[in-house]
Amino acid sequence: MFFDRPGGGERAILVHLEGQDPAAREDPEEFQELARSAGADVVDFVRVPRHQPTAKYLIGSGKVEELHDLVRQCEVELVIFNHTLTPSQERNLERVLECRVLDRTGLILDIFAQRARTHEGKLQVELAQLEHMSTRLVRGWTHLERQKGGIGLRGPGETQLETDRRLLRVRIRQIKQRLEKVRGQREQARRGRRRADIPSVSLVGYTNAGKSTLFNALTEADVYAANQLFATLDPTLRRLELEDIGPVVLADTVGFIRHLPHKLVESFRATLEESSNADLLLHVIDAHEPERDQQIEQVLAVLGEIGANELPMLEVYNKVDLLEGIEPQLQRDAEGRPQRVWVSAREGLGLDLLRQAIAELLGDDLFVGTLRLPQRLARLRARFFELGAVQGERHDEEGGSLLDIRLARVDLHKAISREGVEPAEFLDQHTLQ
């Protein structure tokens, strides 16, 4: 629609720069996996040893000529760089290589476009694509240059490029308005769950850590799960029953990746808010991944961007079946709280320990037990029924009510205090476990 660029295809050459600053360095194996996930037929992988990128091509002009010969020899239609390219670098490379050039951000956007299934997911991907495209629009209209004067050349006062920039701005504004509605609907649903006192648990983690497989194993759902990057884009919510806790909502969310494009984080904010508003985060980690420590850092960085880094978190080390000498286990911190669980979602190992850990962490803020209320506290009994906290009721020989209560401790203390009873004293004397 907006571009007059070389056509892209599936046959691709991958270009990776080595010798960069460790903080900016990308993983070549992850790059190849990204290309395969996008459906590329990788013909060659070119490693370029360069410490200082150039402004014109990112790589040296000599290497660009070698790449041009390789493109012709292999008859490829696409060259993908494992780095972020400026619009001018992409334009210069396409002019010399005479084929389509894509950078790491464009590759990730393409994968997201393939994976999005729901209307919301497609809107989020389109928004990220348009915002990425808006900085590169000038390349597509170099043949128009600018408005020309003279007889027969006077235009309507707006070049084609300016027209398309305006159309882009209009479309971006429309999508943001729609996503704002989605954001409001999600917040309304979350308020409803909070009123019903249903805790929410969100799965987060690096892409391909096994979140969807774990989600399916816990909830017996049939969410798409595959050994590929970004298999899940659209958030999925399912009900999970836990002993002593009751129902909780489990959310499966999009995976994170090293140097995740900022525009994607912004575009998927409505989705990622499922994580930032959760009562508990399950950080799923690929225990078999050699660079798992770096992946953990990347996930924590993205959680910081969306304001979810202060939430309670349980580390779930997945794929324990691929490790020798490691059994499913539950590890606790110095205070005895669950901190880390080792499981295999694919083999179903350690899932009972995971459920136990989730129940313990959520149960810290939840009172589950039996209260004995004398007849004089009839108003408190009625209040518990109003809150929907009564799971069952019996009566003792003295006519007192034995109520099976499940209620957030904050709400329980408020209800008891309103009757002029000290909560700690009341619970100590009238709770029967």
Side-chain angles (χ1 to χ4, degrees):
M1 176 181 176
F2 298 106
F3 291 85
D4 181 19
R5 300 173 55 187
E10 304 302 322
R11 289 170 58 81
I13 292 175
L14 307 185
V15 181
H16 172 74
L17 264 69
E18 294 183 327
Q20 279 190 307
D21 172 41
R25 190 181 301 141
E26 305 291 0
D27 181 0
E29 292 183 7
E30 182 180 85
F31 177 38
Q32 294 179 67
E33 186 60 38
L34 276 171
R36 282 193 291 268
S37 295
D41 177 12
V42 180
V43 176
D44 203 348
F45 187 87
V46 180
R47 295 174 184 265
V48 181
R50 190 165 193 86
H51 292 276
Q52 195 65 36
T54 66
K56 188 171 183 181
Y57 296 119
L58 185 75
I59 58 179
S61 54
K63 205 68 183 179
V64 172
E65 290 300 325
E66 288 180 29
L67 203 54
H68 176 254
D69 295 339
L70 190 58
V71 166
R72 283 194 166 184
Q73 179 186 333
C74 298
E75 297 181 347
V76 302
E77 307 96 349
L78 180 64
V79 175
I80 309 175
F81 281 73
N82 191 22
H83 310 275
T84 300
L85 296 172
T86 65
S88 61
Q89 286 171 342
E90 275 194 28
R91 181 174 66 249
N92 295 336
L93 285 165
E94 285 184 349
R95 185 181 295 129
V96 175
L97 300 178
E98 299 176 316
C99 72
R100 179 80 183 276
V101 173
L102 202 63
D103 68 354
R104 179 183 173 86
T105 300
L107 178 61
I108 293 175
L109 283 171
D110 184 82
I111 296 172
F112 272 48
Q114 293 181 45
R115 301 280 193 271
R117 293 289 179 270
T118 66
H119 177 62
E120 176 196 349
K122 291 175 181 177
L123 281 176
Q124 290 173 139
V125 171
E126 185 183 354
L127 176 61
Q129 286 179 321
L130 290 177
E131 291 186 329
H132 181 66
M133 185 189 298
S134 63
T135 61
R136 286 155 166 77
L137 192 59
V138 65
R139 297 177 310 180
W141 296 104
T142 51
H143 61 288
L144 292 174
E145 294 300 334
R146 62 181 63 187
Q147 299 176 49
K148 291 183 173 63
I151 297 172
L153 293 176
R154 293 186 180 90
E158 185 174 46
T159 64
Q160 183 66 55
L161 177 59
E162 289 167 341
T163 301
D164 291 326
R165 277 181 174 155
R166 178 169 51 80
L167 292 173
L168 268 178
R169 287 196 299 270
V170 170
R171 181 61 181 157
I172 288 173
R173 188 166 61 249
Q174 289 174 342
I175 294 175
K176 285 184 174 179
Q177 287 172 351
R178 290 189 188 179
L179 287 175
E180 197 60 38
K181 286 186 179 178
V182 172
R183 194 173 180 177
Q185 290 166 353
R186 286 191 179 280
E187 179 57 34
Q188 192 173 8
R190 281 192 290 266
R191 282 200 300 267
R193 293 199 295 269
R194 283 196 292 267
R195 280 197 299 270
D197 197 29
I198 300 177
S200 62
V201 179
S202 184
L203 294 171
V204 298
Y206 208 78
T207 182
N208 206 29
K211 295 184 297 298
S212 295
T213 304
L214 180 63
F215 183 84
N216 288 338
L218 287 172
T219 64
E220 298 180 2
D222 192 23
V223 170
Y224 177 69
N227 185 24
Q228 58 185 193
L229 303 184
F230 299 116
T232 301
L233 276 195
D234 304 306
T236 308
L237 306 179
R238 290 290 185 275
R239 181 188 179 102
L240 175 65
E241 290 286 341
L242 294 176
E243 190 174 348
D244 294 333
I245 296 295
V248 303
V249 173
L250 187 65
D252 185 19
T253 58
V254 62
F256 305 147
I257 195 170
R258 182 184 285 105
H259 301 149
L260 186 67
H262 187 72
K263 283 184 171 55
L264 277 178
V265 177
E266 283 297 314
S267 301
F268 278 74
R269 186 165 293 278
T271 300
L272 295 172
E273 279 181 352
E274 287 296 343
S275 300
S276 60
N277 287 279
D279 295 297
L280 175 66
L281 297 179
L282 299 186
H283 181 181
V284 184
I285 301 163
D286 184 349
H288 188 249
E289 170 58 48
E291 295 193 1
R292 72 185 187 199
D293 290 339
Q294 291 90 330
Q295 292 186 354
I296 291 171
E297 288 179 12
Q298 293 298 323
V299 171
L300 295 178
V302 177
L303 289 175
E305 280 194 57
I306 63 174
N309 52 339
E310 299 295 329
L311 294 175
M313 182 184 297
L314 175 67
E315 294 180 348
V316 182
Y317 281 75
N318 190 24
K319 306 184 183 181
V320 71
D321 54 305
L322 301 178
L323 300 175
E324 291 185 8
I326 302 293
E327 296 293 325
Q329 57 186 295
L330 169 58
Q331 296 176 336
R332 300 176 181 274
D333 60 17
E335 299 175 357
R337 290 167 54 86
Q339 182 182 30
R340 188 177 295 117
V341 187
W342 298 74
V343 304
S344 170
R346 186 177 65 179
E347 302 298 328
L349 304 174
L351 297 185
D352 52 341
L353 295 174
L354 178 56
R355 290 190 183 92
Q356 175 189 336
I358 296 172
E360 283 189 41
L361 291 173
L362 290 177
D364 277 357
D365 297 322
L366 195 68
F367 175 84
V368 181
T370 303
L371 294 182
R372 179 186 178 279
L373 300 184
Q375 292 182 358
R376 65 181 178 84
L377 294 179
R379 282 196 309 180
L380 180 58
R381 172 185 173 276
R383 179 61 181 158
F384 285 143
F385 274 99
E386 285 177 18
L387 293 171
V390 180
Q391 308 291 301
E393 181 181 23
R394 304 179 304 282
H395 297 279
D396 60 13
E397 296 176 355
E398 300 175 6
S401 297
L402 298 174
L403 300 181
D404 297 324
I405 299 292
R406 180 180 176 275
L407 185 63
R409 288 187 180 273
V410 174
D411 295 331
L412 178 66
H413 285 209
K414 282 182 182 178
I416 294 173
S417 297
R418 285 174 60 180
E419 296 302 315
V421 180
E422 189 63 35
E425 173 191 347
F426 180 85
L427 292 176
D428 286 344
Q429 296 180 1
H430 295 272
T431 302
L432 304 175
Q433 298 293 348

